[in-house]
């Protein structure tokens, strides 16, 4: 609550230090960013609670774009660009860039939950499976497992977090490896990062000031290769 008060106070102070039109645009963009995040988180929680098995890859991408792409990359970049006087066309290019890079970032994050101990910071792998979180890798497994494995997977996912055992979680992860769901996720993350790189090279040339452009350039490799 205290942080929210500070946030609204800062947005309000913008009207005394910026042109009113810019201050209003910043506030509007902030509301869009928060509403998109709320949308993504709400959908993700609802679909997990409903234990949905019929979701598509596009459904998962909607979550990634809303809760991660806009909040983590597109929104903050657009806020800075608005302050710098960016045109609507430039803001749209930043949006496309941020959504693609946000997809890549979240997929890698979900992959690390399955494969990494986050540089020793995490003791339990597969937390997303415990929570019933719908990820690209889980949807891929649901769509590619044979009938026997699919039945067992759905039985595990139908359990509460406390009911699931570590052996069951390890079984799900092993099946993701067997059916190349993890490999699929890695390739998809690289694909989106590559598409974001193309937009960066072709449409974001107006972000030319150094060392800032080079710092943005370095984010592609970081997102794909990070281990925590």
């Amino acid at each position: 609550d205290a942080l929210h008060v500070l946030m609204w106070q800062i947005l309000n102070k913008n009207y005394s230090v910026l042109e009113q039109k810019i201050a209003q645009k910043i506030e509007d963009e902030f509301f869009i960013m928060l509403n998109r995040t709320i949308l993504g988180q709400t959908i993700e929680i609802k679909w997990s609670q409903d234990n949905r098995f019929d979701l598509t890859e596009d459904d998962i991408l909607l979550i990634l774009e809303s809760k991660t792409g806009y909040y983590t990359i597109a929104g903050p970049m657009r806020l800075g660009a608005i302050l710098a006087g960016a045109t609507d066309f430039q803001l749209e290019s930043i949006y496309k860039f941020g959504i693609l890079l946000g997809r890549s970032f979240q997929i890698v994050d979900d992959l690390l939950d399955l494969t990494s101990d986050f540089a020793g910071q995490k003791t339990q792998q597969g937390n997303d499976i415990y929570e019933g979180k719908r990820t690209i890798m889980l949807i891929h497994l649901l769509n590619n497992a044979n009938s026997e494995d699919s039945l067992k997977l759905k039985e595990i996912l139908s359990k509460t977090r406390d009911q699931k055992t570590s052996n069951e979680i390890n079984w799900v992860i092993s099946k993701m490896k067997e059916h190349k769901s993890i490999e699929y996720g890695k390739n998809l993350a690289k694909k989106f990062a590559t598409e974001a790189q193309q937009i960066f090279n072709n449409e974001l040339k107006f972000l030319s000031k150094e060392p800032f452009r080079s710092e943005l350039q370095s984010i592609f490799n970081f997102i794909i290769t990070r281990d925590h």
Side-chain angles (χ1 to χ4, degrees), residues 133-145:
K133 177 181 172 183
R134 270 44 183 171
T135 64
I136 287 291
M137 285 67 68
L138 183 62
I139 296 304
H140 183 273
L141 180 59
L142 281 167
N143 291 335
N144 289 276

Side-chain angles (χ1 to χ4, degrees), residues 138 141-142 149-157 171-172:
L138 183 62
L141 180 59
L142 281 167
D149 286 345
S150 180
L151 181 61
K152 182 173 179 178
L153 176 59
K154 290 176 180 179
E155 287 177 353
I156 293 171
L157 293 174
W171 180 86
V172 175

